[in-house]
Amino acid sequence: MQSNEHNPIAVRISKIAKLWTSIREKKPKAKFFQLLCNQEDFILVSGFIRIEASEHGKSMDSFLLFSVDFENESQFLSDFINEWLTSFERDLEKHPDWHWEDFEKLKEEFQSLPKNKSDKLKDFLTELLVSFKKFEAKKENLIVIGLVPKKVTDYEKYNIFLKKIIGLLPDDYGILAIDFKGKEKHTELVSDLDMSAVQIVIPDQNTAGSYKELATQGNPNNPQVKFRKCLFEIGESAAENDRAKVHYWGKQMLEVTQSTGDRSFWASAHLIYAGFLFQFKDDDNIFKLLDKGIRISEAEYKNNPQATGTLMQLYAYKASYYSIIGKTDEAIQNFIKQSQIAEDAEMIEQMILAHIYALLLIKNENNDLYKKIIRKSFQKGYPLSDEQLKVINFAFITERYLDLDNNEMMISEKHQIEDRMKSIYGNDWREYAKKISSSMKPAYEIQ
């Protein structure tokens, strides 16, 4: 294993940590921190926060990281507090010796709070912050709350809200937000807060270069090292739109993986090579590669879980490519094949996701195949846990299942299903389901 001193990613994260320490020493009164970086360096900045939030952190400050979307004040506060309490409860399983004296009391108090009253939620948040700092039992440091929402409906309202929250924070707390250069969202807030805020500009970290350095370290004759080199070279060739070089490195990748004798590894190389050719829509090799990968995987998957995953992705890619070139019926059939493989392997979440992609292509809710898929997906998926259903966006399936002509279903059963959906997705779960169908990406983009 490479030591951190030679790990290019660790070296870059260490530089960010040193920059943080330097800025904190120069701006000790700052309570809002805008980390400004190149978009491709986000993963390194996020890595810095995650390391500092772990037992491996080197800063005197304590870091907490939250990814809570913002729609309005009360929604954010409710979700944020709930995430904090839930995360702590999960961590207690790993650290049973932790004793946050007020934790159980705060949990009960939060459950009784009206979730649409932002003033009451702010008061509760202040109580939580003071209590948590007491639990941490450290002095002369900040608890830095990193906020990395995936979605913000209105950044102007979000910044107004952040300014209010920063004004409420105890002296030993700060808030950190990440912005991308050229797409800054919080620069005006930094100006408004004056001495209470600071912008930390992260120099270009050449993240792509760090990955390549890391991946190609080791014996150059090792097949794994050769494979990783091919992977980066084919990626760079695709980014340069150089079809000839994509083919060159793709063929190299096939040769390297075949030489290992690992047929699942070889099949996955066909998948990767084909995926990089997607941008060249007229390339005849795409179907040849996918079909060859499918033949290799189908001979392996019943005895090899790794080959099962590869086979499902191969069918997903084939379906997506058919969709790209306008052959909808063929795309649907390949998504269905993907779902069948997943069902055989008892991977019900993956089966339902493949079904959803097929349904989005069928579109016609009166189609017999559409109805058949809906019924099967619901029957297979409903017994899963709430956590599993939320991940696979089961609201989409449920909404359409309830809209079918289910004469055999009692009204009480429908109400029970609706109540469960509300508990998972909220009262507007049907609207949530509609958003899913309009926002899902082609399968090959999310593998």
Side-chain angles (χ1 to χ4, degrees):
M1 180 180 293
Q2 297 289 333
S3 68
N4 279 350
E5 287 77 10
H6 300 289
N7 182 320
I9 293 176
V11 168
R12 287 162 169 82
I13 290 176
S14 178
K15 288 179 180 178
I16 295 171
K18 289 177 181 176
L19 179 60
W20 170 266
T21 300
S22 171
I23 296 296
R24 283 281 289 118
E25 289 173 354
K26 293 175 183 175
K27 299 281 187 177
K29 295 187 181 299
K31 297 180 72 174
F32 180 71
F33 304 89
Q34 178 199 29
L35 263 65
L36 191 57
C37 65
N38 291 335
Q39 191 161 344
E40 55 269 27
D41 291 336
F42 169 78
I43 194 165
L44 293 176
V45 176
S46 176
F48 153 70
I49 299 171
R50 291 181 187 280
I51 289 173
E52 292 301 330
S54 74
E55 63 271 21
H56 305 295
K58 295 181 179 179
S59 168
M60 64 178 291
D61 298 317
S62 303
F63 284 72
L64 302 171
L65 183 63
F66 296 92
S67 180
V68 180
D69 293 344
F70 179 86
E71 293 182 11
N72 55 63
E73 283 194 15
S74 56
Q75 164 271 323
F76 182 90
L77 286 165
S78 176
D79 289 350
F80 174 70
I81 294 166
N82 181 64
E83 179 62 25
W84 191 318
L85 295 173
T86 303
S87 298
F88 186 83
E89 193 157 39
R90 283 197 301 266
D91 289 343
L92 270 179
E93 296 177 6
K94 304 174 190 174
H95 305 279
D97 55 316
W98 283 1
H99 181 60
W100 183 359
E101 184 178 350
D102 301 326
F103 180 63
E104 293 298 330
K105 177 178 77 71
L106 288 168
K107 265 203 321 180
E108 291 178 15
E109 186 179 339
F110 177 63
Q111 291 302 321
S112 64
L113 278 179
K115 302 303 186 289
N116 59 347
K117 302 291 185 183
S118 61
D119 287 343
K120 291 186 179 296
L121 290 166
K122 285 176 192 171
D123 291 342
F124 179 83
L125 177 61
T126 302
E127 181 184 356
L128 183 151
L129 294 173
V130 171
S131 176
F132 188 82
K133 184 62 181 176
K134 182 180 175 184
F135 155 72
E136 189 199 34
K138 288 184 181 179
K139 295 182 179 179
E140 307 300 327
N141 78 319
L142 281 183
I143 294 179
V144 181
I145 300 170
L147 297 179
V148 189
K150 293 179 182 175
K151 180 181 178 183
V152 174
T153 55
D154 186 323
Y155 269 100
E156 185 176 352
K157 291 180 181 178
Y158 183 51
N159 280 320
I160 291 170
F161 166 73
L162 286 178
K163 188 174 181 180
K164 291 179 187 175
I165 294 300
I166 291 163
L168 294 173
L169 287 179
D171 290 340
D172 36 26
Y173 277 88
I175 286 179
L176 181 153
I178 300 174
D179 260 345
F180 299 139
K181 294 175 183 177
K183 300 178 181 178
E184 296 88 345
K185 306 295 184 183
H186 303 294
T187 301
E188 288 188 17
L189 178 58
V190 173
S191 298
D192 288 346
L193 292 169
D194 196 21
M195 298 299 293
S196 297
V198 62
Q199 182 185 81
I200 303 175
V201 181
I202 309 295
D204 182 359
Q205 298 297 302
N206 185 20
T207 298
S210 72
Y211 291 155
K212 188 172 181 179
E213 289 172 44
L214 181 65
T216 55
Q217 286 178 337
N219 182 352
N221 295 316
N222 184 308
Q224 291 289 343
V225 175
K226 285 183 177 179
F227 169 76
R228 292 195 295 268
K229 178 174 176 57
C230 290
L231 186 59
F232 278 96
E233 295 291 353
I234 198 173
E236 290 180 359
S237 301
E240 295 166 2
N241 207 35
D242 190 330
R243 189 192 306 222
K245 286 179 72 176
V246 169
H247 279 302
Y248 174 80
W249 288 108
K251 290 172 183 174
Q252 294 290 312
M253 185 186 295
L254 295 181
E255 289 179 11
V256 168
T257 52
Q258 186 178 16
S259 72
T260 67
D262 183 339
R263 291 178 64 81
S264 180
F265 192 24
W266 187 29
S268 69
H270 287 77
L271 172 71
I272 294 166
Y273 183 3
F276 279 112
L277 289 175
F278 267 39
Q279 70 192 70
F280 310 107
K281 294 181 183 179
D282 59 341
D283 199 301
D284 295 337
N285 290 281
I286 293 173
F287 280 129
K288 292 176 184 176
L289 288 163
L290 293 174
D291 287 337
K292 179 73 175 289
I294 287 170
R295 287 196 298 274
I296 297 168
S297 298
E298 283 183 334
E300 300 279 315
Y301 86 96
K302 291 186 178 178
N303 301 311
N304 184 342
Q306 186 174 348
T308 302
T310 301
L311 182 57
M312 286 192 296
Q313 290 186 66
L314 283 158
Y315 274 123
Y317 272 53
K318 192 172 178 182
S320 298
Y321 187 64
Y322 269 128
S323 180
I324 288 171
I325 63 177
K327 294 189 175 183
T328 303
D329 290 342
E330 290 86 345
I332 292 166
Q333 290 306 314
N334 277 275
F335 278 130
I336 290 173
K337 286 180 181 178
Q338 180 196 4
S339 74
Q340 290 168 345
I341 299 295
E343 184 180 5
D344 289 345
E346 298 183 356
M347 301 168 72
I348 303 305
E349 299 104 302
Q350 285 77 10
M351 182 202 84
I352 292 169
L353 285 169
H355 275 169
I356 290 175
Y357 287 117
L359 292 167
L360 294 175
L361 288 173
I362 297 172
K363 296 181 182 178
N364 181 3
E365 297 181 22
N366 294 316
N367 181 290
D368 289 340
L369 178 59
Y370 192 100
K371 293 178 181 179
K372 180 181 178 181
I373 292 173
I374 289 293
R375 287 193 174 93
K376 185 171 186 177
S377 296
F378 183 84
Q379 290 160 3
K380 288 282 187 177
Y382 197 71
L384 297 176
S385 69
D386 289 359
E387 290 76 16
Q388 289 170 305
L389 294 187
K390 190 163 189 177
V391 169
I392 60 175
N393 298 322
F394 198 69
F396 176 84
I397 296 294
T398 305
E399 185 204 26
R400 281 147 182 78
Y401 180 74
L402 292 177
D403 287 344
L404 291 177
D405 185 17
N406 287 314
N407 294 323
E408 72 280 3
M409 192 188 300
M410 297 177 64
I411 293 177
S412 59
E413 187 181 352
K414 286 187 176 182
H415 287 325
Q416 185 180 17
I417 292 170
E418 291 231 15
D419 287 344
R420 187 181 181 197
M421 292 301 106
K422 288 177 183 177
S423 72
I424 298 173
Y425 302 104
N427 290 333
D428 296 330
W429 72 273
R430 285 183 177 269
E431 287 302 314
Y432 182 86
K434 289 182 174 64
K435 288 179 184 177
I436 293 166
S437 62
S438 63
S439 63
M440 290 189 76
K441 297 179 180 180
Y444 73 89
E445 290 187 13
I446 64 169
Q447 297 301 324

